[in-house]
Amino acid sequence: MTQALAVVLAAGKGTRMKSDLPKVLHRLAGAPMLGHVLGAAGAAGIVRAALVVGPGMDAVGEAGLAVVPEAQVFVQSEQLGTADAVKAAAPAYEACAGPVLVLYGDTPLLRAETLKAVLGELEAGADLVVIGFEAADSTGYGRLLFDDKSRLQGIREEKDATPAERALTLCNSGIMAFRASATLSDLLSRIGNDNAKGEYYLTDAVALAHQDGLQTRVVLSNGEEVLGVNSRSELSVAEGLMQRRLRAAVMEHGTTLVAPDTVFLSYDTVVGRDVVIEPNVIMAPGVTIEDGAMIRGFCHLERARVGAGSTVGPFARLRPGAELAPGAHVGNFVEIKNAKVAEGAKVNHLTYIGDASIGPNANIGAGTITCNYDGFSKHRTEIGAGAFIGSNSSLVAPVKIGDGAYIGSGSVISKDVPDNALALTRARQEERDGWASKVRQRRSRDKSK
């Protein structure tokens, strides 16, 4: 089929969100809702996009362009209804020779498979396709109406529906597609605003198309997939549904989630086979975990890569730029940022590694700190292969610890250490026999006075 266009309506202010942030930019699984919608369209093969935003919503346009750089952005100057919003994108759809799909920026659970089914109906001869769903509670939704030949003949908004129509349970998702832009343009030009809200409803296009003898069809979805998010409460519901979907996907591909409901994934989390993720783990965006790795409980990972067979945690934090080679070990209360930990290296306890590289099979003792920031700039620490860093050491960057070097516990290292050398900076230990007894006796006499 000729290349399709997605017109994404994203002009709503989302007043029920009680937020300064435009509604479609609220995040779900680490990405703006708008990004999920554009991602579904792209996965369905719809590579062209037109965004309709409200006045002053430059941030929405920028977020859309971050996903689809070639997208066009249009401003709906007044909110006069969905048909009016689509008209704002007229330069885009009038130049489109293929199908036009009208999507909504606040339906982040929409699946590519459903959009592919819509495109299939258009290719099979439908002129207009609506995505519908059966609702257990249809309150607030437009109802799909059929003629005596079971052809879709219209959509009735609840405020304009009769009691009999309100009793119907097959509802309109709002998502609609047109086989030709000429059909869309003609129908939009004839839509009026004679309704309870005085707005121009895109849904009126169905009745007009039916009257013209055009083929109108329905693609069935489920209520979860087309859930529109209008409040923080609905956002939390959508997050739960998205997490359930993401967890199911990684488990299907060979990952063990010990307590699935406690693991939170991002839209782009990549997890290999035979990975085990223990309870209470959070994956922010940009995380890749390779085959056979173990992520122990209460870890937080963001823009990080965990190599095959590595172990992380418990209670570890991998910040952006953390890269663990295969077989690396990062243990409890360890933080890694913008650093590479080579194969077989161990950073097991109470340690901060920032702006650093750790060589193969190096061992970093408990309490070690790479002092990477001098108040103005960040500096790097390089630790060679097989080096041993004693507990409670501070490595003041920029500094290089050679291969096989040994740093004595409690040292502050501010100069490079050659290969296989010993470096320690703590003062010599002194002992004074009987000192403790004398001090206790003196203090006891002072208290008795």
Side-chain angles (χ1 to χ4, degrees):
M1 177 174 280
T2 308
Q3 198 172 76
L5 168 71
V7 175
V8 183
L9 306 187
K13 295 179 180 178
T15 54
R16 289 170 55 194
M17 299 293 285
K18 301 293 191 297
S19 175
D20 294 331
L21 188 69
K23 177 174 66 171
V24 299
L25 297 187
H26 284 265
R27 292 182 175 270
L28 196 73
M33 290 193 285
L34 176 62
H36 287 287
V37 176
L38 291 171
I46 306 167
V47 296
R48 298 182 57 202
L51 309 179
V52 179
V53 304
M57 289 188 174
D58 294 345
V60 175
E62 291 168 3
L65 292 171
V67 181
V68 185
E70 300 81 15
Q72 295 175 271
V73 181
F74 302 93
V75 177
Q76 182 189 14
S77 57
E78 296 182 80
Q79 292 192 7
L80 301 177
T82 49
D84 179 71
V86 175
K87 282 184 179 181
Y93 62 72
E94 287 175 353
C96 177
V100 180
L101 289 81
V102 179
L103 311 178
Y104 295 82
D106 62 356
T107 56
L109 297 170
L110 183 64
R111 296 181 306 125
E113 292 79 4
T114 301
L115 295 179
K116 288 178 181 179
V118 170
L119 292 172
E121 290 292 340
L122 296 173
E123 191 169 10
D127 296 291
L128 184 155
V129 177
V130 172
I131 296 180
F133 66 98
E134 288 284 350
D137 179 4
S138 54
T139 303
Y141 294 106
R143 311 306 202 274
L144 300 187
L145 309 179
F146 295 85
D147 62 18
D148 54 7
K149 295 183 179 179
S150 299
R151 295 175 299 191
L152 180 65
Q153 69 173 6
I155 300 173
R156 189 81 73 238
E157 297 299 331
E158 185 169 87
K159 290 184 177 181
D160 302 304
T162 65
E165 290 169 342
R166 291 181 183 180
L168 299 174
T169 58
L170 186 57
C171 298
N172 172 41
S173 70
I175 299 169
M176 196 175 298
F178 303 82
R179 184 153 59 103
S181 59
T183 302
L184 172 60
S185 296
D186 175 63
L187 294 173
L188 287 175
S189 70
R190 293 152 56 194
I191 291 175
N193 64 344
D194 184 17
N195 52 62
K197 295 181 68 174
E199 294 184 351
Y200 297 89
Y201 293 148
L202 181 62
T203 50
D204 289 348
V206 175
L208 293 171
H210 182 265
Q211 292 168 14
D212 292 348
L214 300 179
Q215 287 197 41
T216 55
R217 299 181 187 174
V218 176
V219 167
L220 290 178
S221 177
N222 59 62
E224 291 184 355
E225 180 181 358
V226 295
L227 174 70
V229 175
N230 296 295
S231 66
R232 305 277 185 165
S233 176
E234 291 173 349
L235 182 65
S236 70
V237 171
E239 181 72 51
L241 295 171
M242 177 66 77
Q243 289 299 327
R244 188 169 67 187
R245 181 185 295 180
L246 294 172
R247 293 163 187 151
V250 299
M251 288 189 287
E252 183 179 350
H253 287 89
T255 293
T256 294
L257 302 182
V258 176
D261 289 348
T262 71
V263 174
F264 288 82
L265 307 173
S266 283
Y267 70 101
D268 61 348
T269 303
V270 178
V271 186
R273 295 179 62 180
D274 295 318
V275 170
V276 176
I277 301 177
E278 292 184 346
N280 299 297
V281 171
I282 296 175
M283 307 287 184
V287 173
T288 297
I289 302 173
E290 296 178 356
D291 294 352
M294 164 72 79
I295 310 298
R296 298 198 180 277
F298 297 93
C299 291
H300 188 287
L301 293 77
E302 178 181 6
R303 285 192 290 166
R305 175 178 289 273
V306 178
S310 293
T311 300
V312 178
F315 295 98
R317 183 183 182 195
L318 301 188
R319 291 174 59 194
E323 294 186 24
L324 276 55
H329 290 256
V330 170
N332 50 290
F333 302 103
V334 171
E335 180 176 341
I336 309 285
K337 190 272 296 181
N338 192 29
K340 295 182 179 181
V341 181
E343 186 170 0
K346 297 179 180 180
V347 190
N348 276 334
H349 322 281
L350 304 158
T351 294
Y352 172 70
I353 301 294
D355 298 292
S357 60
I358 299 175
N361 300 308
N363 190 303
I364 312 300
T368 297
I369 299 172
T370 56
C371 306
N372 57 327
Y373 185 52
D374 62 8
F376 300 95
S377 303
K378 297 290 183 69
H379 303 280
R380 290 196 66 80
T381 298
E382 297 180 27
I383 300 172
F388 182 92
I389 311 299
S391 297
N392 200 34
S393 295
S394 296
L395 309 179
V396 183
V399 69
K400 181 176 180 180
I401 311 301
D403 293 348
Y406 194 107
I407 306 302
S409 297
S411 297
V412 177
I413 303 299
S414 57
K415 297 189 300 183
D416 291 353
V417 178
D419 293 352
N420 299 307
L422 166 66
L424 63 137
T425 61
R426 61 179 182 264
R428 183 181 298 275
Q429 181 173 318
E430 294 184 8
E431 300 173 5
R432 299 180 183 182
D433 292 341
W435 181 91
S437 297
K438 293 176 183 178
V439 169
R440 282 193 289 269
Q441 290 172 4
R442 185 172 64 248
R443 289 183 177 176
S444 178
R445 288 196 300 267
D446 291 341
K447 287 181 180 180
S448 66
K449 289 180 180 179

